[in-house]
């Protein structure tokens, strides 16, 4: 569970948020995107384009090959045929991908993974407001949605998956802002002062027992 404090203009936190989701698409992970500010569909349309074509990969391979050649030239010929000892098995392991933030991910690639969206204003318009676990309606509805996806899509760690194992990436935008119905930031006597704390406590429990990872951007005033 990763918290990102939103910077003044929301540039860096928003970019990191989209990187996290874009990496999920490239890796074939399922996505769950929640927001009370921007519609999740629009967030997914703005993901950066990955650098996956042969040119970039070829340049990287050529650089590694050139480095290996230079190293071999430094080694005396009598050592060339000795068996190599792998000192660090993870030295050449590729982790993560590179992205071009000046381009958007293609719709075809974005639609290649299964994703779920939670837009607070739509969710609250469907049913009457509810209060569960002693927290406000928006947080309670979001927890129910996450719990349902984890259970129905086979991410529950206590229940062995029947399909190939996968990971659920959860992204929650600007949690704790007034748009979520949380008045802790603008009232001397908030209606539910512990709503956000309770939400995070329950969310941590859900993440611990499931195959999932979550990134949350948090408004600057809450940190202060």
């Amino acid at each position: 569970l990763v918290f990102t404090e939103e910077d003044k203009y929301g540039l860096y936190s928003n970019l990191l948020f989209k990187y996290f989701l874009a990496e999920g698409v490239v890796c074939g992970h399922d996505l769950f995107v929640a927001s009370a500010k921007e519609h999740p569909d629009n967030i997914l349309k703005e993901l950066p384009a990955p650098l996956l074509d042969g040119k970039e990969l070829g340049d990287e391979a050529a650089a590694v090959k050139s480095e290996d050649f230079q190293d071999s030239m430094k080694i005396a010929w009598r050592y060339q045929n000795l068996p190599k000892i792998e000192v660090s098995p993870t030295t050449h392991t590729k982790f993560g991908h590179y992205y071009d933030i000046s381009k958007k991910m293609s719709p075809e690639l974005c639609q290649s993974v299964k994703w779920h969206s939670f837009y607070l204003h739509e969710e609250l318009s469907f049913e009457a407001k509810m209060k569960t676990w002693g927290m406000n309606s928006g947080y309670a509805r979001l927890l129910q949605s996450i719990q349902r996806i984890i259970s129905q899509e086979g991410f529950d760690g206590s229940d062995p998956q029947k399909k190939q194992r996968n990971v659920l990436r959860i992204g929650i935008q600007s949690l704790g802002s007034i748009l979520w119905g949380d008045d802790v930031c603008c009232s001397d006597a908030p209606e539910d002062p512990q709503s956000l704390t309770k939400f995070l406590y329950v969310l941590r429990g859900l993440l611990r027992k499931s195959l999932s990872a979550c990134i949350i951007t948090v408004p600057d005033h809450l940190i202060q």
Side-chain angles (χ1 to χ4, degrees), residues 16-206:
L16 183 61
F17 187 79
K18 289 178 179 177
Y19 270 154
F20 176 82
L21 298 175
E23 187 68 19
V25 173
V26 176
C27 293
H29 298 160
D30 287 20
L31 303 181
F32 180 95
V33 186
S35 176
K37 178 172 66 173
E38 187 178 0
H39 199 288
D41 293 358
N42 295 332
I43 295 175
L44 291 168
K45 289 177 183 176
E46 297 291 329
L47 298 184
L51 299 174
L52 295 175
D53 61 85
K55 183 179 182 301
E56 285 80 4
L57 297 178
D59 290 347
E60 186 178 347
V64 172
K65 189 173 182 180
S66 175
E67 186 179 342
D68 288 344
F69 175 76
Q70 291 174 6
D71 288 343
S72 67
M73 293 296 290
K74 296 175 185 176
I75 302 175
W77 63 271
R78 60 188 177 193
Y79 296 122
Q80 287 283 346
N81 295 324
L82 291 178
K84 293 183 179 180
I85 300 175
E86 187 67 55
V87 178
S88 177
T90 58
T91 301
H92 299 295
T93 301
K94 182 174 175 57
F95 181 80
H97 299 84
Y98 294 98
Y99 297 87
D100 184 348
I101 61 175
S102 67
K103 298 177 183 177
K104 297 177 184 177
M105 182 180 291
S106 68
E108 294 77 19
L109 180 57
C110 195
Q111 295 295 333
S112 66
V113 300
K114 194 168 187 178
W115 55 273
H116 314 271
S117 63
F118 180 98
Y119 187 47
L120 182 64
H121 306 298
E122 289 180 350
E123 297 291 331
L124 293 183
S125 64
F126 291 149
E127 301 176 29
K129 288 191 175 182
M130 48 172 280
K131 219 171 195 181
T132 309
W133 300 306
M135 64 185 73
N136 77 29
S137 184
Y139 296 156
R141 189 65 51 80
L142 177 56
L143 278 174
Q144 285 191 337
S145 295
I146 295 174
Q147 192 172 32
R148 184 180 69 252
I149 297 301
I150 287 175
S151 176
Q152 293 179 356
E153 300 298 327
F155 296 106
D156 191 340
S158 61
D159 184 19
Q161 292 192 30
K162 297 176 182 177
K163 59 180 182 179
Q164 186 176 358
R165 297 175 75 85
N166 199 350
V167 175
L168 176 66
R169 285 185 180 237
I170 303 170
I172 306 176
Q173 187 185 59
S174 204
L175 186 72
S177 72
I178 190 65
L179 294 174
W180 284 94
D182 196 332
D183 58 348
V184 72
C185 63
C186 57
S187 173
D188 292 333
E191 185 179 350
D192 299 300
Q194 301 300 327
S195 269
L196 184 58
T197 308
K198 292 177 181 177
F199 170 84
L200 295 172
Y201 189 78
V202 179
L203 176 64
R204 185 177 66 172
L206 288 175

